[in-house]
């Protein structure tokens, strides 16, 4: 599910940034970038500077991203949590417009409001793991749907409401809805065993004990000035140990939006 979530996220990211999807099948996504994303992902400023100087349009690159582990040996770029490319995209999303408003391109339908939030959870300790939660909240009934980006990947959205459609006003305010999503995330984290955190904390205690024993043996034989220097070095190394090993969880919104969807689509989401 983790790799499927990444694939759905990438698909929607490129669609919303108006890039052409040239292929999308079984965990292999081929995308023709626009100029802005070409500049971001490929870092070839001299090409674009030259093209602009000679008055040409330029040709953005086409990239293939592989999220299916069974196809990672195929031609393309293997994408997973920890991939520099994926974090480039995360940072771009955090920097440029986190919130959007989109309308399903339905035909003659009432469109209901959904608050959609894509959240990155980082489990930080002896080892680090990232996870994306994609959550949708119906702003009328309060129904919550998980793995939403995966479930709506085949639905076409646009920033313009289609002809002969109209929107239903939310009953739940966006701020209140986001608090509900935050509440779910807390429950989700509380329900986990977090053995990784126990292992990381135990490793911290072991290394702290070794570090303390090492410095105490030197402190006993040191004069006052040397003791001050040793204490300062001990404190610095202990701080480094804490940053490296003490377990913590970091929650970071990637992006979100107000998605207006038809009742027909909603039934499929809840099935």
């Amino acid at each position: 599910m983790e790799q499927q979530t990444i694939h759905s996220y990438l698909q929607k990211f490129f669609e919303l940034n108006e890039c052409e999807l040239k292929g999308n099948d079984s965990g292999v996504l081929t995308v023709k970038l626009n100029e802005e994303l070409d500049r971001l992902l490929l870092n070839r400023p001299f090409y674009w500077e030259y093209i602009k100087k000679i008055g040409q349009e330029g040709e953005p690159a086409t990239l293939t991203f592989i999220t299916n582990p069974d196809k990672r040996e195929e031609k393309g770029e293997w994408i997973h949590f920890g991939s520099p490319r994926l974090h480039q995209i995360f940072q771009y999303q955090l920097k440029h417009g986190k919130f959007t408003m989109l309308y399903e391109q339905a035909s003659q339908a009432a469109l209901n409001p959904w608050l959609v939030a894509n959240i990155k959870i980082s489990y930080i300790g002896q080892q680090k793991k990232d996870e994306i939660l994609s959550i949708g909240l119906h702003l009328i009934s309060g129904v919550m749907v998980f793995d939403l980006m995966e479930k709506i990947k085949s639905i076409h959205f646009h920033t313009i409401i289609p002809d002969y459609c109209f929107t239903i006003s939310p009953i739940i305010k966006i701020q209140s809805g986001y608090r509900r999503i935050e509440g779910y995330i807390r429950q989700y984290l509380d329900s986990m065993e977090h053995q990784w955190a126990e292992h990381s904390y135990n490793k911290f205690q072991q290394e702290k004990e070794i570090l303390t024993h090492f410095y105490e043996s030197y402190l006993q034989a040191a004069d006052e000035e040397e003791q001050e220097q040793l204490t300062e070095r001990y404190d610095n190394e202990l701080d480094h140990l804490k940053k490296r090993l003490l377990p913590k969880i970091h929650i970071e919104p990637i992006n979100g939006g107000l998605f207006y969807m038809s009742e027909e689509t909603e039934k499929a989401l809840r099935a």
Side-chain angles (χ1 to χ4, degrees):
M1 182 59 69
E2 180 177 284
Q3 288 301 116
Q4 291 177 0
T5 301
I6 292 173
H7 187 92
S8 299
Y9 169 77
L10 289 174
Q11 177 187 334
K12 284 299 178 187
F13 170 80
F14 288 115
E15 285 179 341
L16 294 177
N17 282 280
E18 299 182 347
C19 296
E20 181 185 354
L21 301 188
K22 289 185 167 293
N24 183 17
D25 182 56
S26 302
V28 180
L29 184 69
T30 301
V31 182
K32 183 174 182 179
L33 305 175
N34 57 29
E35 179 181 337
E36 183 177 7
L37 289 178
D38 185 293
R39 288 175 178 269
L40 169 76
L41 299 180
L42 298 185
N43 190 26
R44 48 179 190 160
F46 297 113
Y47 168 78
W48 288 105
E49 287 176 12
Y50 173 74
I51 287 296
K52 297 303 180 184
K53 284 181 180 179
I54 64 175
Q56 298 297 314
E57 288 293 327
E59 183 68 17
T62 296
L63 299 180
T64 296
F65 302 100
I66 299 172
T67 58
N68 184 342
D70 295 333
K71 297 187 175 183
R72 60 186 301 177
E73 301 303 324
E74 294 186 10
K75 186 176 181 180
E77 185 172 353
W78 167 240
I79 301 292
H80 58 95
F81 278 123
S83 298
R85 184 75 75 205
L86 186 60
H87 284 275
Q88 268 186 310
I89 294 172
F90 284 164
Q91 291 304 312
Y92 175 85
Q93 288 254 269
L94 290 170
K95 187 176 179 181
H96 298 83
K98 295 183 183 181
F99 195 85
T100 188
M101 186 176 296
L102 298 171
Y103 304 90
E104 180 186 348
Q105 297 302 285
S107 177
Q108 299 185 19
L111 303 179
N112 292 314
W114 287 76
L115 177 63
V116 178
N118 294 312
I119 310 290
K120 184 175 77 166
I121 302 178
S122 298
Y123 305 90
I124 303 168
Q126 185 177 3
Q127 296 179 333
K128 181 179 178 181
K129 177 184 176 182
D130 292 328
E131 177 182 21
I132 290 181
L133 295 184
S134 180
I135 304 170
L137 176 72
H138 194 284
L139 292 179
I140 295 175
S141 67
V143 167
M144 204 174 291
V145 173
F146 312 110
D147 297 324
L148 190 78
M149 297 304 288
E150 172 68 17
K151 293 177 180 177
I152 64 173
K153 65 182 181 181
S154 62
I155 307 299
H156 182 53
F157 290 92
H158 201 278
T159 54
I160 300 173
I161 187 170
D163 293 338
Y164 309 112
C165 290
F166 60 94
T167 59
I168 305 298
S169 297
I171 294 175
I172 302 169
K173 293 182 178 180
I174 290 177
Q175 294 87 342
S176 176
Y178 189 75
R179 285 196 294 270
R180 294 191 189 197
I181 292 174
E182 286 181 322
Y184 164 74
I185 293 172
R186 286 194 293 269
Q187 292 176 7
Y188 172 75
L189 293 173
D190 288 343
S191 69
M192 300 172 70
E193 293 186 1
H194 297 299
Q195 291 183 342
W196 64 273
E198 295 178 13
H199 293 158
S200 190
Y201 182 77
N202 290 338
K203 180 67 173 177
F204 167 74
Q205 293 288 17
Q206 292 170 5
E207 294 207 15
K208 179 185 174 183
E209 184 176 343
I210 293 171
L211 180 69
T212 302
H213 177 75
F214 175 80
Y215 274 97
E216 283 181 345
S217 63
Y218 279 94
L219 281 170
Q220 293 175 359
D223 59 31
E224 185 174 345
E225 183 178 349
E226 290 174 330
Q227 286 181 351
E228 289 182 4
Q229 294 175 348
L230 287 169
T231 300
E232 183 177 353
R233 287 174 58 187
Y234 170 79
D235 290 340
N236 289 336
E237 294 200 35
L238 183 59
D239 285 341
H240 178 71
L241 269 186
K242 290 177 180 178
K243 291 176 182 177
R244 184 166 62 88
L245 292 175
L246 279 182
K248 49 188 170 289
I249 296 175
H250 181 62
I251 301 172
E252 182 177 30
I254 301 170
N255 60 7
L258 198 55
F259 284 46
Y260 283 92
M261 295 185 248
S262 66
E263 290 185 5
E264 183 178 350
T265 295
E266 291 178 349
K267 290 177 183 177
L269 291 179
R270 301 180 194 186

